Amino acid sequence: MLGQKITINIHGDYLDSFVYSGVLFIMNTDFNLSVYSWDEICSEILSDESLFVQLMIKDFMLGHSSNVSIDMPKIFNIEESILRKYMLHTIELNEWPSDISIYNNRFYISSSNGTFYFDFYWTDGRIDSFSQISKIIDLASFKIAPGSYNRLVIAV
């Protein structure tokens, strides 16, 4: 049966989350941005499933497939212990973001204190390091929309 629901619950107190190029980004309520290996998290939460179901759901969770054919709804829980196990990095942002966006290996943050960005760098399919956080503008911003050639639209 096509279209059965897959639910992924991430336990903890978080403002937002993103999956980008096999990496899970989570912003917590202390304004820390943490980065995790999404591939390894998926492997662990799917470990009790049959190999066929693991491959099918993992392809879907990694964005390699647009749908998944399972016979019943599935609920997967990502406990904080799993997150700690696969954490790659944490960055303190120290402010409440009004918008967050990721484009072309650059992480953008808009807030009441301005618009910021930092780049991230890859080694062996994992984020290895981050650049320093750079400020783009010093005005309160509410929405950002990055585009090609490092173009950026900012609503201030």
Side-chain angles (χ1 to χ4, degrees), residues 5-144:
K5 187 174 181 180
I6 295 177
T7 302
I8 301 172
N9 297 317
I10 301 175
H11 294 267
D13 198 10
Y14 305 109
L15 299 173
D16 213 340
S17 64
F18 306 90
V19 175
Y20 178 83
S21 293
V23 178
L24 172 65
F25 292 85
I26 297 178
M27 172 76 71
N28 72 16
T29 55
D30 293 327
F31 313 120
N32 295 320
L33 178 71
S34 297
V35 183
Y36 306 88
S37 172
W38 182 237
D39 185 45
E40 291 174 314
I41 289 172
C42 290
S43 293
E44 181 150 337
I45 66 173
L46 294 171
S47 63
D48 293 337
E49 302 294 328
S50 71
L51 182 59
F52 176 73
V53 170
Q54 283 182 33
L55 293 173
M56 185 174 37
I57 293 176
K58 193 170 182 184
D59 274 354
F60 177 75
M61 291 168 86
L62 293 174
H64 303 303
S65 172
S66 60
N67 61 38
V68 62
S69 177
I70 55 175
D71 16 350
M72 59 194 311
K74 296 274 186 187
I75 298 174
F76 299 100
N77 293 300
I78 301 174
E79 303 292 335
E80 290 184 53
S81 61
I82 293 173
L83 289 176
R84 280 191 301 274
K85 192 175 184 179
Y86 300 112
M87 180 182 283
L88 301 173
H89 298 284
T90 296
I91 297 175
E92 292 182 26
L93 298 178
N94 299 320
E95 58 188 298
W96 187 277
S98 57
D99 195 18
I100 295 173
S101 188
I102 302 172
Y103 183 78
N104 201 24
N105 295 330
R106 184 169 278 180
F107 197 95
Y108 296 93
I109 305 139
S110 64
S111 73
S112 60
N113 294 318
T115 302
F116 307 85
Y117 77 90
F118 61 87
D119 295 318
F120 44 94
Y121 307 102
W122 301 88
T123 301
D124 299 328
R126 289 176 171 249
I127 291 180
D128 181 46
S129 63
F130 298 101
S131 68
Q132 290 289 90
I133 296 177
S134 300
K135 188 175 253 188
I136 298 171
I137 62 168
D138 215 6
L139 300 169
S141 57
F142 305 99
K143 188 79 175 151
I144 50 178

